[in-house]
């Protein structure tokens, strides 16, 4: 299973309880895969709602900020500016 969601965000696998999503960080070029605790159909439905203008925190309230940032921008934690100025 490989389903393109936007730019370079893909659902690459999944089961009844989890979805594997993958993207390439636009800054460092590394490929990252996250596993989220939601099935692929539900992830797709919520992602479509987000792309239609829903707030990402409303569409994916159970995801932490890093996971939502990954979905929104594809930027990895190493490349995303931290709050401590680094």
């Amino acid at each position: 299973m490989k389903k393109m969601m936007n730019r370079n965000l893909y659902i690459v696998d999944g089961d009844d309880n989890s979805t594997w999503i993958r993207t390439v960080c636009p800054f460092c070029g590394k490929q990252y895969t996250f596993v989220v605790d939601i099935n692929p159909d539900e992830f797709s439905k919520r992602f479509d709602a987000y792309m239609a203008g829903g707030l990402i925190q409303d569409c994916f309230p159970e995801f932490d900020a890093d996971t939502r940032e990954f979905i929104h921008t594809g930027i990895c934690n190493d490349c995303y500016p931290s709050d401590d100025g680094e």
Side-chain angles (χ1 to χ4, degrees):
M1 160 196 302
K2 186 171 183 179
K3 178 180 177 185
M4 185 171 182
M5 301 305 294
N6 75 344
R7 54 176 164 63
N8 64 347
L9 181 75
Y10 294 88
I11 293 177
V12 293
D13 204 351
D15 58 29
D16 290 341
N17 302 310
S18 303
T19 302
W20 289 258
I21 53 175
R22 180 174 295 153
T23 194
V24 175
C25 177
F27 292 114
C28 67
K30 292 180 186 174
Q31 178 177 281
Y32 289 90
T33 302
F34 273 51
V35 178
V36 292
D37 293 332
I38 186 173
N39 71 56
D41 291 335
E42 184 67 18
F43 180 88
S44 294
K45 181 176 124 185
R46 291 192 199 180
F47 188 84
D48 290 345
Y50 163 63
M51 292 303 292
L55 298 175
I56 196 164
Q57 63 268 33
D58 293 339
C59 296
F60 299 104
E62 69 276 26
F63 294 173
D64 63 26
D66 289 340
T67 302
R68 290 193 302 258
E69 188 63 38
F70 174 78
I71 292 168
H72 177 68
T73 65
I75 299 172
C76 71
N77 288 340
D78 292 338
C79 293
Y80 196 78
S82 66
D83 290 337
D84 59 9
E86 291 182 25

